[in-house]
Amino acid sequence: MRRSLVLGNWKMNGSRSSAESLAKGIIAGLGADIADIAVCVPYIFLSDVAQIVKNTRLGLGAQNVADKPSGAYTGEISAAMLKEFACKYALVGHSERRTYYGDTDQSVAARFCQAQEQGIIPVLCIGETLEQRQQEKTFDVITAQLDAVVDLAGIAAFNNAVIAYEPVWAIGTGLTATDDQAQEAHHFIRQYLSAKDQAVAEKIQILYGGSAKPDNAKGLFAMPDIDGGLIGGASLDAESFLKIYHSV
Ligand code: PGA
């Protein structure tokens, strides 16, 4: 049985003090140890939030990581730097990075490898746009996104990784994939991995992301290939994030 994981993605929201109180509020309501839970916070708040989550079950993650180990890359943050702040996870290839900042399948694969080199678990975000879905290209897009990482890192690298399936048309739009639509994509992803390495496919946590909320989380999480969620908007409020966590 795979353990579930609920990851918050705070994106570019909040202030130093709201980040601290949100982390404290989540910790206060964690309750029983039913699943893994972590928050991906803006880089600049990692240091503060790292202090707050220390010795608690709330894990810490970053929202991105550089595709190079060090050097003249102005504005980038390396995996080794993230490691110093006790980051357990790093998102790679979030659709907002791909859409607004030019992350490509290849640069995402390089980021994935950089995270792993420092023992940080990459959370590989994949998913199709509405146009791609309407053109029935969903599985082609997902395959290309996965191929790029498998080509660079090898299938064994997925032993220490998480995948987040996030249909772009569902992110921040209030449109959620139905339980069956999400399950279909998750099943496809697990089959893709299984064809290369069955043990990897059975072990890996595949999260759903895209307008997951307290009122739809239970149905999504009940699907056999959905192992938790990557939560954006609803993770900015401790109570709603905890409700989602308690739906696993
Ligand atoms: P959302 O974001 O829950 O606000 O749709 C999810 C994500 O982008 O990870």
Side-chain angles (χ1 to χ4, degrees):
M1 196 49 193
R2 285 179 297 272
R3 194 169 156 84
S4 296
L5 167 64
V6 176
L7 262 183
N9 175 10
W10 293 358
K11 308 192 180 183
M12 196 175 74
N13 290 297
S15 63
R16 200 171 176 184
S17 70
S18 75
E20 288 189 18
S21 54
L22 180 50
K24 285 179 185 160
I26 295 165
I27 291 165
L30 278 179
D33 185 2
I34 52 170
D36 297 335
I37 180 167
V39 285
C40 296
V41 313
Y43 286 140
I44 194 81
F45 301 145
L46 281 172
S47 171
D48 291 334
V49 179
Q51 294 301 319
I52 294 165
V53 304
K54 204 170 177 183
N55 301 321
T56 76
R57 284 201 301 108
L58 182 62
L60 189 60
Q63 298 172 14
N64 192 14
V65 60
D67 58 345
K68 310 275 193 322
S70 67
Y73 302 103
T74 303
E76 290 295 302
I77 302 286
S78 73
M81 293 170 187
L82 295 180
K83 192 72 193 165
E84 286 199 69
F85 293 94
C87 272
K88 183 173 178 192
Y89 300 98
L91 304 184
V92 297
H94 190 279
S95 76
E96 286 149 18
R97 300 292 324 169
R98 295 179 190 261
T99 305
Y100 306 135
Y101 301 99
D103 287 14
T104 61
D105 287 349
Q106 283 64 38
S107 82
V108 170
R111 294 173 201 279
F112 180 104
C113 291
Q114 286 300 321
Q116 282 198 330
E117 290 212 353
Q118 294 297 327
I120 295 169
I121 300 170
V123 179
L124 174 64
C125 304
I126 57 177
E128 79 288 359
T129 63
L130 184 58
E131 197 186 3
Q132 289 163 338
R133 175 163 281 264
Q134 286 166 342
Q135 293 171 349
E136 297 184 358
K137 289 189 182 149
T138 298
F139 296 150
D140 295 343
V141 171
I142 291 174
T143 298
Q145 290 171 332
L146 289 168
D147 277 349
V149 181
V150 172
D151 287 351
L152 192 68
I155 186 68
F158 285 84
N159 271 310
N160 292 306
V162 171
I163 293 175
Y165 168 65
E166 299 204 296
V168 178
W169 48 273
I171 296 176
T173 57
L175 283 176
T176 318
T178 64
D179 300 345
D180 289 335
Q181 278 174 325
Q183 165 60 23
E184 183 188 35
H186 282 235
H187 182 68
F188 177 84
I189 294 164
R190 209 176 298 280
Q191 288 294 113
Y192 168 100
L193 297 170
S194 182
K196 299 179 189 300
D197 188 323
Q198 203 183 337
V200 164
E202 280 169 15
K203 179 179 165 205
I204 195 164
Q205 292 165 318
I206 307 179
L207 313 183
Y208 169 80
S211 297
K213 300 272 180 304
D215 59 358
N216 59 28
K218 222 177 180 65
L220 288 161
F221 295 169
M223 303 311 279
D225 288 300
I226 300 182
D227 307 312
L230 178 55
I231 318 298
S235 75
L236 295 172
D237 174 71
E239 198 185 320
S240 70
F241 186 54
L242 285 164
K243 272 196 190 135
I244 293 171
Y245 172 67
H246 289 117
S247 304
V248 298

